[in-house]
Amino acid sequence: MNLEDGLNTIERSIVLDYMKENAIPITVTVHEKDSAQVFPIVINASDVYVAGEETLRMSNTVKNLTPFVGKSVKVSFYYNHVGLYFINRLVENPYGYFIDVPKQLLRVPSRKNVKKTSMKAVISYKARGNKNISLEAFPKREYVLFAAPKWNSVEAALQSTAQELFERFAYRMEIHENDDISFLISVSRYLCQRLLTVAVEGTAEPLDIIYIDSSKVVFGCMNQIDSLKVGNEYLLSLQFPIGESPILKRTVHVEMTVAETYANAEGDIQCFLCQFNGMKREDLRFLQEKQSV
């Protein structure tokens, strides 16, 4: 299969033939402005069929599909471990829910290829045999860094669940006077997401940075569960571009300790709270200045 953006006619036909003969689960997401108000859902393989030549039918017994009816939706799935998706309008009739597979069937892009960011982090450590292991991390889109997150950053449909998570995590912390636990808003928000379809099923993609200040950083992950261990120390490199130059950057090197982990109910999405250790004074001042901007 061609791994560029779109599949050609023959490749598309092969995928459709496969879907006719093999039940596969799909993820449905609203692809409109109000998408934040409709939570993505996963439909079990037993409820997905190919009707006719190029139409997906979802059983009318599937719950929670009503908010998607009449809307443009994104349908994501895996074919031979490769993430694919298409976008079209979902309709309903007495026989179930239907969506035509358009001519444009696309490959889920790799985050490494599409990520454009103002900073980058590299986590490194030595594994067995003295082998150096490195994990990349990038800021998660629409998450606040270097500032206290607000509750209005959490989608309205998720606020009740996020509030329950926030209270549970805050209860188990040893909170001292003047401690700022607002980072837990971002943690709770992150854990309310659905597991996303990635470019290649089972591959390790970069971690998400969902919060950072001058004393700590919080990473999130959906496909590298337990990649960091509580109590372990890691080397962290924070790289910030200087101006518009693609080459010049300011790099902060610091050790960090994983202080806590947080997970959703299913255990397939996780966050790591990491505390900085022994940061150089000039690096500390640099991060503090970013907090005050």
Side-chain angles (χ1 to χ4, degrees):
M1 175 183 294
N2 184 358
L3 295 185
E4 298 300 323
D5 290 339
L7 275 62
N8 62 37
T9 302
I10 296 176
E11 291 167 339
R12 177 180 177 277
S13 178
I14 292 173
V15 172
L16 282 173
D17 287 343
Y18 178 85
M19 295 177 73
K20 292 174 184 177
E21 299 175 2
N22 301 271
I24 59 172
I26 63 174
T27 300
V28 180
T29 307
V30 171
H31 194 69
E32 296 183 354
K33 290 183 179 180
D34 63 346
S35 60
Q37 305 303 318
V38 183
F39 204 45
I41 64 171
V42 177
I43 302 178
N44 294 329
S46 58
D47 291 314
V48 181
Y49 317 88
V50 175
E53 291 298 320
E54 299 183 345
T55 300
L56 283 191
R57 174 197 168 197
M58 289 140 278
S59 171
N60 52 17
T61 61
V62 176
K63 299 180 180 179
N64 303 325
L65 260 179
T66 300
F68 298 84
V69 173
K71 291 183 169 62
S72 177
V73 302
K74 178 180 179 180
V75 176
S76 308
F77 58 94
Y78 289 109
Y79 168 76
N80 282 352
H81 304 293
V82 176
L84 301 173
Y85 74 96
F86 64 85
I87 298 169
N88 215 339
R89 192 164 298 278
L90 181 73
V91 299
E92 180 185 15
N93 66 33
Y95 300 100
Y97 302 92
F98 296 82
I99 182 168
D100 291 334
V101 181
K103 298 300 181 185
Q104 192 174 42
L105 191 56
L106 303 172
R107 180 181 183 271
V108 175
S110 169
R111 289 178 55 214
K112 291 183 179 181
N113 294 335
V114 302
K115 182 66 69 174
K116 294 182 179 179
T117 179
S118 59
M119 67 171 291
K120 170 185 176 181
V122 178
I123 305 162
S124 58
Y125 61 97
K126 290 188 179 298
R128 289 182 178 179
N130 217 29
K131 180 181 179 181
N132 287 317
I133 304 295
S134 294
L135 302 174
E136 289 186 325
F138 298 93
K140 175 72 171 172
R141 184 180 177 186
E142 297 178 353
Y143 277 67
V144 172
L145 305 182
F146 295 106
K150 307 296 183 184
W151 270 111
N152 61 11
S153 65
V154 183
E155 293 86 344
L158 307 181
Q159 286 194 359
S160 177
T161 303
Q163 181 70 36
E164 293 178 5
L165 291 172
F166 180 92
E167 292 175 356
R168 184 198 312 166
F169 298 148
Y171 179 78
R172 77 188 197 193
M173 290 182 65
E174 293 184 8
I175 303 174
H176 303 94
E177 187 177 0
N178 298 323
D179 279 355
D180 182 4
I181 62 171
S182 61
F183 72 90
L184 288 177
I185 295 176
S186 290
V187 169
S188 303
R189 174 188 178 189
Y190 190 87
L191 297 178
C192 285
Q193 300 176 97
R194 285 290 189 189
L195 202 63
L196 300 178
T197 303
V198 297
V200 180
E201 188 177 19
T203 58
E205 293 207 337
L207 303 181
D208 293 310
I209 304 172
I210 62 172
Y211 178 85
I212 186 172
D213 60 27
S214 59
S215 64
K216 59 185 173 293
V217 60
V218 181
F219 299 104
C221 73
M222 296 188 182
N223 62 343
Q224 295 197 65
I225 302 302
D226 297 328
S227 54
L228 303 179
K229 303 291 186 181
V230 171
N232 283 7
E233 290 189 349
Y234 301 87
L235 295 177
L236 178 66
S237 172
L238 297 171
Q239 302 171 10
F240 301 87
I242 298 177
E244 300 297 324
S245 172
I247 301 175
L248 298 177
K249 60 180 179 290
R250 167 70 185 269
T251 302
V252 173
H253 297 288
V254 65
E255 289 187 353
M256 69 177 191
T257 301
V258 182
E260 185 64 272
T261 62
Y262 309 91
N264 63 350
E266 294 75 18
D268 53 12
I269 302 178
Q270 197 170 22
C271 293
F272 307 95
L273 169 63
C274 304
Q275 301 283 354
F276 299 147
N277 306 320
M279 183 178 291
K280 294 181 180 179
R281 184 174 300 177
E282 59 269 26
D283 290 335
L284 177 61
R285 186 181 305 114
F286 173 74
L287 295 184
Q288 289 174 335
E289 289 174 352
K290 295 191 75 67
Q291 285 181 246
S292 62
V293 174

